[in-house]
Amino acid sequence: MLSLEAQHVRKTYGGVTALADAGLRVRPGTVHALLGENGAGKSTLVKIITGAVRPDAGVLRLEGTDVSFSDTADAARHGVAVVSQELSLFPDLDVLSNMFPMREPRRGPFVDRGRMAELARPILDQLGLRVSLRDKVGDLSLAQRQLLEVAKALVTDPRVLILDEPTSALDSKTAEVLLDILRVLRDRQVAVVFVSHILEEVMALCDEVTVLRDGSTVLDAAPLAGLTIPKIVESMLGERHAELAEVRPRATVDLSGAVAAPRGSGALRVENVSVEDRLSDVSVTATPGEVVGLAGVAGAGHQTVLELAAGLRRPTAGSVLLPDGKPAPRGLRAAIARGVALVTGDRRRLGLMLDKPIWDNAGQVRSVALARDGLLVRKRTLRERAAEHASRVNLRTSSLEKSAGLLSGGNQQKVVLMKWLQTHPSVLLLDDPTRGVDIGAKAEMHGLVRSVADAGAVVLMCSTDLDELATLCDRVYVLHHGRVCAELAGETLRQHEILAAMNTGTVPTA
Amino acid sequence: MTSSTTDAPRQDVDPAPGATSGGGPLGLIKRAFGMESASVLVATVVLILVIGAIHPDFLDPRQLRDVLQQSVYVAVLAAGVAFLLAMREIDLSVGAIFGLSLICSAMLMRDGWNPWVAAVAGIVLGALLGLANAAIVQVFRIPAIVATLATLSMFRGLSLALSEGQQVVGLPLDHTFFEFFGGRLFGIPVSVLVLVVVAIVLTFVLRTTPFGYRVRSIGSNPDAAAFSGISLARVRIQALMLMGGLAGLAGMLGLAYFGSGDPNIGSGFELLAIAAAVIGGTPLRGGAATVVGAMLGAVLLSVVTSGLVYFDIPVNWSSFATGAVILIAVGIDSLLRRRREARAAAAGL
């Protein structure tokens, strides 16, 4: 009998289909890999299985009985535990309190900490998590917190344990410990679902593989024995992606004059840079007019390169030169004054003032932070300039008075771009710029990024979206354990190659 | 004017929160004044008329002038507090800065300093005390509310220590400083005229300078502000210094009017100033502020305090009554604001 079975699950958000026909069959005593590209529907499927999201259609069975969870607590009572990507710990509480959220053992009206400790200690020891039960969770390292998440799930003694990218925050040694634990659980007949980007881990650990593509299951509980990394990559990406990769986004608007043609050498140069624990001897060059991508699994160091260019981090060795030929300054503010623009995927937290009108957001950097308009900031100027840039980036809104929080994700990201274009940047840094925007808005954003490059700016982009890297970029540097392991361009710049290099550190020979 | 519930105006209205015009007479007045602080103005006027209807003495121009005169100090402080609330900061030491700069200037004048020079020194001292607050926040990495809770006691303690707990008297009251700032111009107290000038200048600073925009940006989303290249530390220093300077200015106005220095003067002003700013329509969540509203909030509080005297309320109950009126004012304002915002959201603005 199967421990967990999901059949024909469908889920749409608004008009966007997250899951079309997804299924998952997990046998007890196996570690089951759930794989798929970004946006393939893995997270949605996990949320449905754990009761966080209700499916539009489909069947969910636990050990042969149909179930329908009202919420995550309900799923937990049925023996489904999840270790989520977004850490869900309370940083101000201690380790022990965090392990029993809402279900502390009690003695009368009081929390029975003695009993809690008895239950918690062996699990923590097993995980090799050497912390005191009284330690505040906020003081733990990211890896320790990740292990604590796992411990929290194990306390419930689950029959089905789902791990959503559990090793992304772990160094390789700690990840190894976690993988050992999963093997122990497997021997105890627990069904483990393992969601990961890191195919090496999947190969080393899992028994069966399910692959989602565009919301449907394309590889259904295939035994690992007959699979190889290239084969898995193949089914994750599909045939048509290989053809689509040839269609490159073109510049959609003329932004000449909106960006500054870099002075001096013109290129952004990262030369033989090392950063302790993150990068060793990395060299990256991006010339004006080019869109250069940075790829890697979480923690591979690709984001550190962006941070170097933005002045958020200093190299311990080597040099980082901005297009004006001088070293990157210390601090983001100084970098911005030198013409660096930074667009992140976390637009709601880091990009926008959600309660302020569009025109106010658009003037945020140029007129407010840099005070380039002098001692006075005129609303009229802000509105006029916002209107001009809004038509340039094709912002769709009924009015510039609208609060940024009311816009769609794609339009919000356009507002973020508007505010940076006002500064005439010479370097545009993008960190997962199209995270969570729909396909149409994504294509538009890609056109805009191309336009920025064509207008003469240096564009450097990190992305978790392989399709984005393969189609939008002219060149992609792939990082593996803090080193550049591949520089892909032209014929070799395809999702297959990126994914393989990200995971193995070498480019497969065709 | 038609009452428009769904068809909110798009272009011709100041888009600051609370500025969308509602229907009815409130909307008319708002449009007439063209400002978001209209509701507190309406409340103040209504309260004055209600008290006046029961006790016509209250409407005597001299009485109203006194009410206004008494509100000036808290009003100046409230204007500064509005700036701080707009960037999610707070300063609890404003009453103590007010008192300390007043005492210090009074002692300098007593010791023979030119009162004009001493007054400027008092304002500078206020700004420096604000800088001290900012430095503490910066160096020890503690929230301003904690830092200023400590400096509140320290500054008040300095006032008492320097004056040895005694009134500072023997000031040159016939000097032009006292005659001018303690006197009246065209029948209006000069301190009220100063308040008007401060209101205009600060509104201008808040609405049209990069500093004013930075303050509101930080309050709206500190992370996004930092990512846009705004230095939170620098803006905080500037805002706390502005606050201190304003407290110093209020102290000088008080000194000119009272003609002596009481080391306990201004105790409790910090809470009145915060209440005034909130009553005036500055939200505690930050991102927006209204200087005029904060000042009108102070006037409203002053009306309440003075008005209660007319109602034979036992003296031991007056504190309770003041609190009740503040609660009612803030409560009604918050309810109206939420309705307005819901309406604006429904209109898609």
Side-chain angles (χ1 to χ4, degrees), chain A residues 229-304:
Chain A
I229 287 188
K231 269 190 185 167
I232 295 174
V233 168
E234 186 79 42
S235 60
M236 280 169 69
L237 301 179
E239 291 293 328
R240 61 188 183 83
H241 278 76
E243 293 158 30
L244 268 181
E246 303 306 314
V247 186
R248 300 190 145 269
R250 300 245 164 107
T252 45
V253 290
D254 181 14
L255 291 177
S256 48
V259 303
R263 300 175 295 275
S265 66
L268 173 72
R269 292 177 200 284
V270 174
E271 288 168 345
N272 307 106
V273 163
S274 296
V275 174
E276 204 165 344
D277 290 336
R278 285 172 189 272
L279 293 181
S280 45
D281 198 25
V282 165
S283 294
V284 168
T285 308
T287 57
E290 229 185 352
V291 179
V292 174
L294 295 164
V297 297
H302 52 305
Q303 279 168 319
T304 312

Side-chain angles (χ1 to χ4, degrees), chain A residues 458-480:
Chain A
V458 168
V459 180
L460 195 59
M461 176 175 81
C462 277
S463 181
T464 53
D465 182 339
L466 299 181
D467 179 51
E468 183 165 88
L469 287 168
T471 58
L472 177 58
C473 295
D474 298 302
R475 273 185 306 133
V476 171
Y477 292 92
V478 184
L479 281 90
H480 187 72

Side-chain angles (χ1 to χ4, degrees), chain A residues 333 336 342 348-350 352-353 355-356 364 368-369 371 374-377 379 383 398 401-402 406 419-420, chain B residues 10 14-15 204 208-210 213-214 216-217 220-221 223-231 234 287 348-349:
Chain A
R333 296 185 59 238
I336 290 170
L342 181 58
R348 296 182 72 84
R349 193 167 75 81
L350 300 178
L352 293 170
M353 303 181 287
D355 59 337
K356 298 271 184 212
Q364 169 100 336
V368 176
L375 290 175
L376 291 186
V377 180
K379 268 183 207 168
R383 286 200 174 102
S398 54
E401 305 299 330
K402 203 165 179 170
L406 297 173
K419 87 176 185 183
W420 288 110
Chain B
R10 306 249 160 200
D14 188 313
F204 186 76
T208 63
T209 64
Y213 272 85
R214 285 171 195 167
R216 287 179 287 142
S217 297
S220 175
N221 184 347
D223 293 333
F227 254 76
S228 299
I230 295 172
S231 164
R234 190 180 298 176
L349 254 175

